[in-house]
Amino acid sequence: MPKPFDKLTATAAPIMRSNIDTDVIIRIERLVGNGIRGTLGKWAFGSLRYLPDGSENPDFILNREPYRDAEILVTGPNFGCGSSREGAVWSLQERGIRAIIGSGFGDIFFANCFQNGILPIIIDKAMVDQLAADIEATQGAGKVSIDLEAQTIVSPSGARHSFEIDPRRREGLLKGLDEVALTLQRDDEIHAFQTADRTARPWIHSTRTPASRTSA
Amino acid sequence: MPGRSLLEKIWDQHVIARLSEDTDLLHIDRHLLHDLGGSRGLLDLKSRGLKVHNPELTFATPDHALSTAPGRAGTSKIGMELLAALRVETAASGITLFDVDQPGQGIVHVIGPELGLSLPGATIVCGDSHTCTHGGLGALAFGIGSSELTHVLATQALIQKRPKTLRARFEGRLPLGVTAKDMILALIGHIGAAGGTGYAVEYAGSAIRALPIEGRLTICNLSIELGAKMGMVAPDETTFEFLRGRPYAPQGEMWDLAVKAWRELPSDPDAVFDREVVIDVEKIIPQVTWGISPEHVVGVDGVIPDPKAVDDPARRAAIETALEYMGLQGGAPIAGTPIDWVFIGSCTNSRLSDLRAAAEVARGRKVAAGVRAWVVPGSENVKREAVAEGLDKIFIEAGFEWREPGCSMCLAANGEVVGPGQRSVSTSNRNFVGRQGPRARTHLASPASAAASAIAGAIADVRMMGR
Ligand code: SF4
C-alpha cells in the first residue's frame, strides 16, 4: 500500500536531459529476481552515477552536495520513457525520491509512480526550465515546496506555480489508497460484466479447449 | 454524434464501471505473464491472501531471463530460480504455462498472436511495455507495471484513463528493400520519441492495409518508442486469415460469430481523432538509428547529424551526448560505419517473415570477419518452422549463430551482451544507453538491413546487395 503524500519541502535536483529512459534509471540485471525490493536505491541511475571502474562520477548531480539528499527531481522532457519496469520507480523511491516535476513522462512510468506514492507533476516546459534555473541559482540550497492538496509548487525564488492532477489520482495519493482493495469492492460488478460478456463474446472466455495442438 | 474510432469501440465494450469522466474500470480479456515479473506478481497476490481472479484468461511463458544459447546453457542461477518459481506458481494457480522446449514457448509478444490468444477487439495486458505489439491484430493491448499486474491478477480488471487518439496514415506503395520496421522508425523520426505520449495510435492507410500481419505487429511493437502505450491496426480479411485455425482462435460456429463482431470494429468513416499524421511511404528508405533514442534515426544513405549545424542549444547538447556515447562523428555518412555485432531477434523482428527476409540476404554469402551475428527466433514454433524451411542452414552456412527462442540480446538480462564500446546492428526496438550491455552501442534496423550489415561488416544499405 502506498505511503500517503500531502506536502513536501525538500532539496530538488534538476536532471534535464531529454528522454531519460527507464533502462537508464535502473539496469535490467538489477531487476532479475524476486527479492530485489530494498536493494535498488544504490543502483538508481547507475550508468550516470558510477564510472566504469565502479567509483562515483563526481560530475553527476546526485553525487554532489546538497543534491545527494534530494527528495525531488526536476526532469527534462519524456522522463521515464521506455520499459514498463516498475523497478525504475522502486529504485528512485529507495533512493529517497518522493516527487518528480517535468514537462512530460512516459505513460507507464507515470502510472507506476502513483502506485508507489511518488507524485509526478506535469507543468509547462518553460516553468520546468525556470524552476531548474532557480534551483541552480542557489546551488541547490534553496528548497522546493509542493502542496498536493492546493496543487502548488513554490520555487526557491518564491515563484509559485500551480499544477493540475487527476482528482482520482490526487485522492489516492493523499490517502495512500490501495487500488486492489478498492476494486475488489466492485467484485459483483466484475462478475456481472463477465456473465453478460460470456454471452456477448463467448470466444473470449472459452480458452480451455484449444485446438488439440499448440503448434501454430 | 460523430462516428467512433476502433479504440473507442473496444474501450466501450470493456467498461465495467465508470469511475470518473475520463477514467474507467476495464475488463481485461488476456493477461500474459513472463519469467521476469510473473512469479513475483503471483507471490505478491499470495502474500495478500488473494487468488487469481480468472486463471483461464491468464497465460505464461519464460522468455526474458532464459539464456538462448544452445541447450539453454548459461542461464543464470537467478534466471533458473525465476523459471522454477513461474512453474510452481502458475501450476498452483491453474494458469497455462508454455514451458521451455514446448511448442508455444517464446517471447510473449510473439506467442500471443501465434497461438491465437491475441484476438481483435480483446483487451490484452502484460507486464512489459511492448504489449502494444498485439494491437497489430486489432486488439487493445498495452504494457503495465508490477502493481497493475497484481491488480489484474486479483480482479481481471484495470483502472485506466481514456487516452487521446492519434491516427497515423501510411499512404502509397512500399519501395523495394523497405519494410514495416523502416515505416515505423520513419514515423518516430518524424514526430519524436514523445510524439505519441498520452495517445492510443491507430495505424491506417493503404500501406498498412497492404501489410501482412507480421509487419503490422512490428509496426505496433514500436508504438511505445513513439511514447504511445497502445498502438493498433483495424482488423480486416488479412487478420481473419491469419487467425483462422490457430490453437486458441475460436472454432466452428464461434469463429463465425467472432468474425461478425470483429467486422464491426474498424473506425467509422466519420470518426474524429485528436491528431492525424500522414506519411508518404514512397519516400521512405531503409532506416537506421545513429543515437541513443529511437528518434535518432536517418535513412541509411544519410549522414549523422552535425551538432555544429544545430542552433537550438538543448538539441545541440542532446546530439553531442548521443554522438559521444555512440563514438560517432557528426556530418559523416552512417553507411560504412564498422560494426562488431549483429542481432536478429526480439519481439519486433523475430517472426518467420523476418527470418526469411534476413536469410534471403544471407543466402550464399558470408558474415564479415570480426563480426558476430546471432539469429534468435521469437518462439519455439518460429524456430521449428524456420528449421523445416532450412533457414537455420542458410544462416549457419553464412556464419551466423542460430540460437534458442527468447529475448536474448534485446535486453541483455542473461549474460547475452554486446561488450563495452562495441557496436551492434540490432533488429530490436531500443538503442538506449546500456540497453544491450554496459556502454554497448546499438543501431536499430530491419532484419534485411541487419543481415546486409553482417555481410558487409559495416552499416549497409540492403538495396545495394542486388537481391
Ligand atoms: S524481446 Fe526485448 S523488447 Fe521484446 S519483450 Fe523481450 S526484452 Fe522486451
Side-chain angles (χ1 to χ4, degrees), chain B residues 64 107 109 128 130 346-347 407 410-411 429 435:
Chain B
H64 283 69
I107 305 173
H109 312 313
D128 186 282
H130 290 100
S346 90
C347 56
C407 295
C410 171
L411 88 165
N429 40 50
R435 172 78 178 186

Side-chain angles (χ1 to χ4, degrees), chain B residues 141-160:
Chain B
F142 52 97
I144 54 177
S146 309
S147 301
E148 290 177 321
L149 189 157
T150 300
H151 189 282
V152 176
L153 286 174
T155 67
Q156 203 59 35
L158 199 56
I159 299 168
Q160 285 292 301

Side-chain angles (χ1 to χ4, degrees), chain A residues 112-207:
Chain A
N112 287 343
C113 283
F114 288 101
Q115 300 285 353
N116 292 278
I118 290 188
L119 170 62
I121 299 175
I122 299 178
I123 55 176
D124 278 354
K125 182 161 184 308
M127 275 156 57
V128 178
D129 291 345
Q130 186 56 53
L131 183 61
D134 286 355
I135 294 163
E136 277 157 5
T138 69
Q139 261 114 52
K143 309 244 158 159
V144 171
S145 294
I146 297 169
D147 184 335
L148 176 57
E149 181 82 59
Q151 300 185 166
T152 55
I153 302 169
V154 181
S155 146
S157 69
R160 185 176 291 268
H161 308 286
S162 53
F163 63 90
E164 280 191 41
I165 182 165
D166 179 65
R168 274 196 66 262
R169 301 261 203 210
R170 188 174 66 138
E171 195 198 325
L173 272 184
L174 285 168
K175 298 189 179 152
L177 296 178
D178 175 9
E179 280 194 344
V180 172
L182 284 181
T183 300
L184 280 175
Q185 288 174 11
R186 296 181 177 270
D187 203 29
D188 289 349
E189 288 170 76
I190 296 170
H191 281 287
F193 177 95
Q194 290 186 332
T195 303
D197 200 45
R198 268 187 208 105
T199 311
R201 300 185 309 147
W203 58 89
I204 291 296
H205 300 272
S206 63
T207 59

